[in-house]
């Protein structure tokens, strides 16, 4: 089998299963056969191709476990409204927000959406993300939700990046159900979820549980209905207010509870007790001009595993860069840099139930690797607006070279 060896690595920063923690290794080499890492160590044997890392930093590719990339247009007009003082919540209450993205997706052809999502994936990959969770949730009727999932599946087949599909019919209430929220929940549970399950693309089922969106009771119904059809629950929880969603995440067996800017102490205890991963999205706090970042230290002290994601979407966070998310999490949530890298690689892989195959540079894992143009991990968050990436290796294939 074709083999590739990465030599002359300055530092290798990766999660290490034996240590159960992050490690920085020096003077190591990596051998890849096909798409798999087969050796990590010093002075390894020859290979078909040698790649010189020029004494630079090497890390696993980022795993971004929370994005909403299937939309047509951006919503920069709402951005402008926020600059004038309106909040995201006020814009939503006035009929803007998520529902502003619905018509575009409903009217768009599958091929238009495919080419848009494909170019967004190009960008993710250039920024060092090698796996990305992708939600539907701007169709909000049966046909357009299935279309959105199909788009994710088609792009994933075409693209080097791995896309992990999540059904998010429970994102908002479309206008035809504005006065009949329970009717929309019925539609999700009785028609959409069975059809999504038959379609066989989605792996997860996510709901925006928040005051003004889905109540705890409605969220519980949707997550349980998904569970009955083999869709694993995730939850948007306590983003703006504590609505008890973090707590519900624990109760429903959600693999991850995301946002958590307003999670209560009780919610944190429930996450810890039920082994729910807290996926924090500091890009959203930043993009919305808010200051109440999620309580990283409290979560960590309670023993909750923390993952990081971009939350890339057209409304609340138009950010695709995981390196920038690391900057935000270090600056505003005071996450130590190695913990931030762990949160953006192995823990985010765990939140997608993929930690046995990706998220670290260890024997047997897929060769999803970033070779940086810097020497030290600290330079990733320090450089803020730079993307000092030299090469991305995906599935053992060298994708960009300087
Ligand atoms: O994760 N919070 C809910 N959904 C997105 C916002 C999507 C939008 O505004 O279009 C989020 O922030
Ligand atoms: Fe989101």
């Amino acid at each position: 089998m074709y083999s590739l060896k990465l030599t002359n690595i300055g530092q290798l920063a990766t999660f290490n299963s034996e240590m159960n923690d992050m490690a920085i290794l020096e003077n190591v080499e990596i051998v890849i056969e096909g798409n798999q890492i087969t050796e990590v160590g010093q002075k390894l044997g020859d290979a078909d191709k040698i790649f010189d890392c020029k004494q630079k930093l090497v890390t696993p590719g980022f795993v971004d476990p929370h994005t909403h990339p299937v939309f047509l247009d951006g919503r920069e007009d709402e951005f402008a409204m926020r600059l004038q003082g309106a909040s995201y919540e006020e814009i939503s209450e006035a009929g803007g927000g998520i529902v502003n993205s619905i018509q575009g997706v409903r009217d768009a052809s599958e091929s238009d959406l495919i080419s848009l999502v494909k170019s967004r994936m190009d960008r993710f990959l250039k920024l060092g993300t090698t796996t990305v969770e992708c939600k539907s949730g701007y169709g909000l009727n049966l046909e357009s939700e299935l279309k959105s999932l199909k788009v994710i599946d088609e792009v994933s087949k075409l693209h080097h990046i791995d896309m992990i599909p999540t059904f998010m019919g429970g994102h908002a209430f479309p206008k035809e159900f504005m006065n009949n929220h329970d009717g929309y929940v019925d539609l999700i549970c009785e028609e959409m979820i069975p059809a999504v399950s038959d379609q066989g693309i989605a792996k997860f089922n996510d709901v925006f549980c928040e005051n003004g969106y889905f109540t705890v009771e409605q969220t519980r119904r949707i997550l349980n209905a998904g569970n009955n059809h083999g869709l694993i629950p995730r939850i948007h929880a306590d983003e703006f207010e504590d609505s008890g969603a973090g707590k519900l995440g624990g109760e429903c067996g959600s693999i991850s509870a995301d946002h958590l800017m307003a999670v209560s102490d009780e919610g944190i205890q429930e996450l810890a007790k039920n082994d729910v991963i807290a996926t924090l999205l500091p890009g959203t706090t930043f993009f919305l001009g808010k200051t109440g970042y999620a309580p990283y230290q409290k979560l960590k002290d309670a023993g909750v595993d923390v993952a990081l994601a971009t939350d890339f979407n057209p409304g609340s966070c138009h950010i695709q860069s995981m390196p920038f998310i690391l900057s935000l999490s270090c600056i505003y949530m005071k996450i130590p840099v190695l913990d931030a890298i762990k949160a953006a690689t192995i823990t985010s892989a765990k939140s997608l139930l993929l930690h046995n195959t990706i998220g670290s540079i260890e024997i047997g894992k897929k060769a999803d690797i970033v070779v940086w143009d810097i020497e030290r991990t600290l330079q990733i968050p320090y450089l803020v607006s730079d993307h000092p990436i030299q090469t991305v290796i995906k599935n053992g294939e060298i994708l960009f070279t300087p």
Side-chain angles (χ1 to χ4, degrees):
M1 198 184 295
Y2 182 78
S3 60
L4 168 68
K5 181 164 88 161
L6 307 192
T7 58
N8 207 9
I9 295 170
Q11 291 195 337
L12 171 63
T14 177
F15 179 77
N16 181 291
S17 302
E18 272 162 35
M19 290 168 55
N20 193 26
D21 205 353
M22 293 296 287
I24 294 191
L25 309 173
E26 291 184 357
N27 300 316
V28 290
E29 300 181 315
I30 301 168
V31 173
I32 297 160
E33 284 181 30
N35 69 354
Q36 253 197 6
I37 297 165
T38 52
E39 286 180 276
V40 180
Q42 292 181 348
K43 299 197 176 66
L44 302 178
D46 209 6
D48 296 319
K49 185 177 167 74
I50 306 288
F51 185 89
D52 181 356
C53 296
K54 300 183 182 144
Q55 280 301 306
K56 303 287 185 183
L57 173 70
V58 170
T59 67
F62 292 118
V63 177
D64 186 343
H66 183 141
T67 81
H68 307 252
V70 191
F71 59 87
L72 195 73
D73 297 319
R75 302 211 306 271
E76 51 279 352
D77 291 345
E78 292 179 5
F79 182 81
M81 287 161 79
R82 284 197 295 279
L83 305 185
Q84 300 294 317
S87 69
Y88 181 85
E89 299 92 307
E90 286 162 358
I91 294 169
S92 297
E93 276 155 28
I98 295 167
V99 293
N100 258 342
S101 293
I102 306 305
Q103 207 55 46
V105 167
R106 287 185 180 177
D107 292 346
S109 68
E110 203 175 291
S111 67
D112 283 349
L113 288 172
I114 286 175
S115 77
L116 277 169
V117 172
K118 192 179 164 305
S119 64
R120 289 170 190 148
M121 294 303 131
D122 292 343
R123 183 88 192 117
F124 275 116
L125 200 57
K126 288 214 171 79
L127 293 163
T129 297
T130 44
T131 301
V132 56
E133 183 262 9
C134 299
K135 302 174 201 296
S136 69
Y138 293 114
L140 304 190
N141 62 21
L142 178 60
E143 186 198 336
S144 298
E145 283 299 300
L146 292 178
K147 177 171 72 179
S148 301
L149 289 165
K150 178 96 188 302
V151 166
I152 294 168
D153 193 46
E154 290 296 319
V155 179
S156 192
K157 284 182 196 148
L158 290 170
H159 209 279
H160 286 291
I161 211 163
D162 284 322
M163 299 162 73
I164 312 302
T166 295
F167 166 63
M168 198 170 178
H171 199 191
F173 294 96
K175 60 178 182 314
E176 58 276 22
F177 284 97
M178 208 152 70
N179 300 312
N180 179 16
H181 285 190
D182 282 333
Y184 184 58
V185 175
D186 291 343
L187 181 76
I188 294 178
C189 295
E190 287 157 25
E191 289 185 40
M192 288 186 177
I193 285 177
V196 165
S197 162
D198 283 349
Q199 188 191 32
I201 292 172
K203 174 171 179 175
F204 296 102
N205 177 30
D206 197 344
V207 180
F208 189 8
C209 184
E210 187 79 29
N211 291 333
Y213 293 84
F214 293 81
T215 63
V216 165
E217 192 39 53
Q218 290 165 338
T219 305
R220 184 184 285 117
R221 275 188 65 201
I222 297 170
L223 293 183
N224 286 340
N227 243 333
N228 292 336
H229 282 83
L231 299 172
I232 303 160
R234 315 180 71 78
I235 187 168
H236 279 61
D238 303 331
E239 178 174 355
F240 303 122
E241 287 171 46
D242 170 33
S243 61
K247 225 175 128 194
L248 176 70
E251 178 203 309
C252 282
S254 183
I255 182 73
S256 169
D258 301 28
H259 284 292
L260 301 173
M261 282 155 64
V263 66
S264 65
D265 290 347
E266 200 192 347
I268 293 176
Q269 290 311 321
E270 287 297 313
L271 297 176
K273 205 166 82 196
N274 294 287
D275 278 333
V276 182
I277 293 169
T279 298
L280 306 185
L281 313 168
T284 312
T285 319
F286 174 80
F287 195 82
L288 293 178
K290 294 182 184 272
T291 51
Y293 285 81
Y296 166 74
Q297 197 57 47
K298 272 192 180 181
L299 288 158
K300 192 171 152 64
D301 290 346
V304 178
D305 267 354
V306 170
L308 287 168
T310 59
D311 193 23
F312 172 62
N313 74 73
S316 65
C317 186
H318 202 271
I319 296 171
Q320 288 186 256
S321 163
M322 286 298 272
F324 183 58
I325 295 298
L326 294 200
S327 300
L328 293 176
S329 60
C330 294
I331 295 169
Y332 291 113
M333 301 197 296
K334 305 286 180 260
I335 304 191
V337 63
L338 268 189
D339 290 351
I341 296 173
K342 179 181 176 191
T345 55
I346 191 71
T347 313
S348 46
K350 194 171 164 196
S351 102
L352 300 177
L353 297 168
L354 293 173
H355 49 296
N356 291 328
T357 48
I358 56 169
S360 64
I361 298 177
E362 295 181 281
I363 294 170
K365 292 261 176 130
K366 274 215 290 196
D368 292 357
I369 295 172
V370 176
V371 182
W372 296 80
D373 212 0
I374 49 180
E375 285 78 25
R376 308 171 61 200
T377 54
L378 195 52
Q379 289 170 298
I380 303 176
Y382 170 76
L383 288 171
V384 185
S385 62
D386 260 3
H387 309 301
I389 288 172
Q390 191 194 131
T391 300
V392 174
I393 296 170
K394 173 65 189 164
N395 271 322
E397 198 179 327
I398 297 171
L399 298 184
F400 324 109
T401 38

